[in-house]
Amino acid sequence: MTKLSDRIINLAESQTLAMAKKSRELQAQGKDIISLSIGEPDFDTPQFIKDAAKRAIDNNITRYTPVAGIQELRKAISEKFKRDNDLNYTAEQIVVSTGAKQSIANIILSLINPGEEVIVPIPYWVSYIETIKLAEGIPVTIPTNVESNFKITPEQLRKAITSKTKMIVFSTPCNPSGSVYNKEELKALAEIIVQYPDLYVISDEIYEHINFVGKHESIAQFDFIYDRIITVNGVSKGFAMTGWRIGYIGAPLWISQACEKMQGQFTSGTSSISQMAALEAVKANPSVTFEMRDAFKKRRDLVLGLLKEIPGIKTTVPDGAFYIFPDISYYFGKSFNNYHVKNSNDLSMFLLEEGNIALVSGDAFGDDNCMRFSYATSEERLIESVKRVKEALAKLK
Ligand code: PMP
Ligand code: GLU
């Protein structure tokens, strides 16, 4: 008998966090590694948000909060949904959690029964699949590629739906492809979804504010499927607040109540201090995020330009988030010394050890032909990173 549960033995480690940990360890040993592995803004949290946290401490807002969040924050999030997304969620339909990661886990654990299928378009964010498996659900993936701009078609969605399908989980802007669904594309998907009354959608919109094409579109905007959508958002990415651990949902009341009950057993309300800081972030005019967004766009263009100079790499032009997800399969079957590159994982190990550059292999996101570059770092480091990638790849024959 093993000491650990089957549950934990079967759970894969988060590949994004694993790669970030590995590069930190190598850096600690003195190796000059540049890590483009983790998806986290390199900016500081804006000052007015930090000030709110300091005030919260001084005002002794340091006790347990209601499980679903401080009422004032839930109300402000409800107003944010109306202001930015034209979505009507009352404060009671909002649940604030310890990061959008917990929001997603709450929903999946609250809705998925063993054997139920959850559709996940490829490429997907690493944690979706493992959380579905924890709930004993069955992930059903839909392939995409550079040519389809990593977006699924309504026809692909229809074909993936069976009598066991309970849910679809996707992100827009997407981690890792950076693709953004426009209003027409979302409407076409919604028109399929509405035909299946027992089908629910997790719309992960955590990169809402990092969008280079204009208006962010939420799938919950279509009245005819509003009651089947759980909109996930948070402050980690747009406000450079990854360490504060605040995510939230807007959902039909029965789902938000279920998530509150789930959270009441796992973690309770998230940090009172972080909630008071997040209150300022969600109340603020979204224009406070524009400077960071514009810097990301400049970096995207820089990296895309540099990647063009590397033979065999195919990319899309990502419309949001801070990732580029190029197809690097041209290098499969090539070798250098003891390295024989057969897949994206081999290539990421080769780049780490031969090029001192940490990227996350596409197989972590369901697409083994690709590799994820997180360009949330300085232009100087980005230039050096792509140079390292180029030089290392040139060794493969
Ligand atoms: N969804 C996506 C697509 C993400 O990239 C992340 C980043 N970690 C999360 C959810 C979770 O964000 P957090 O828990 O930091 O709010
Ligand atoms: N979402 C980020 C990423 O994809 C943070 C790491 C994680 O939580 O997986 O890199």
Side-chain angles (χ1 to χ4, degrees), residues 10-42:
N10 293 330
L11 186 75
E13 189 180 357
S14 162
Q15 289 304 304
T16 47
L17 298 179
M19 199 57 172
K21 184 171 165 194
K22 190 163 186 158
S23 21
R24 273 197 294 266
E25 282 165 5
L26 291 171
Q27 281 158 351
Q29 291 165 20
K31 275 199 117 185
D32 164 35
I33 305 287
I34 299 188
S35 176
L36 302 187
S37 58
I38 193 138
E40 130 164 290
D42 57 327

Side-chain angles (χ1 to χ4, degrees), residues 52-118:
K54 291 179 193 163
R55 279 198 305 276
I57 296 174
D58 289 340
N59 293 335
N60 293 310
I61 305 182
T62 52
R63 301 206 161 82
Y64 288 137
T65 74
V67 172
I70 294 172
Q71 193 58 21
E72 201 186 346
L73 175 58
R74 292 170 84 196
K75 199 166 157 282
I77 292 170
S78 143
E79 285 162 8
K80 173 256 173 289
F81 273 129
K82 186 72 202 165
R83 180 193 67 202
D84 299 345
N85 316 111
D86 200 21
L87 298 180
N88 293 307
Y89 291 115
T90 64
E92 284 58 48
Q93 291 176 271
I94 309 292
V95 180
V96 181
S97 301
T98 305
K101 198 176 250 185
Q102 187 184 25
S103 305
I104 293 163
N106 279 341
I107 305 160
I108 291 174
L109 291 170
S110 296
L111 289 187
I112 301 303
N113 275 317
E116 288 179 336
E117 293 177 358
V118 182

Side-chain angles (χ1 to χ4, degrees), residues 320-389:
F322 37 63
Y323 307 106
I324 298 180
F325 197 57
D327 184 317
I328 39 71
S329 57
Y330 170 83
Y331 291 93
F332 296 174
K334 299 192 189 293
S335 303
F336 173 72
N337 291 345
N338 293 331
Y339 293 100
H340 306 291
V341 175
K342 296 177 296 302
N343 51 41
S344 62
N345 197 40
D346 290 348
L347 194 63
S348 76
M349 285 306 140
F350 169 76
L351 288 171
L352 184 63
E353 287 165 26
E354 224 18 77
N356 285 344
I357 174 90
L359 306 173
V360 185
S361 57
D363 68 339
F365 309 96
D367 187 340
D368 194 33
N369 288 328
C370 296
M371 192 75 92
R372 189 184 80 172
F373 287 63
S374 164
Y375 56 83
T377 191
S378 70
E379 292 181 22
E380 214 184 342
R381 287 169 77 79
L382 289 171
I383 293 169
E384 172 63 19
S385 302
V386 184
K387 184 167 158 262
R388 290 184 185 191
V389 171

Side-chain angles (χ1 to χ4, degrees), residues 39 98-102 104 125 128 171 173-175 204 206-207 232-237 241-242 245-247 323 372:
T98 305
K101 198 176 250 185
Q102 187 184 25
I104 293 163
W125 180 48
Y128 298 156
S171 61
C174 173
N175 176 3
D204 181 348
I206 187 95
Y207 294 94
V232 174
N233 209 323
V235 294
S236 289
K237 312 291 175 169
M241 291 178 70
T242 45
R245 311 308 302 129
I246 297 278
Y323 307 106
R372 189 184 80 172

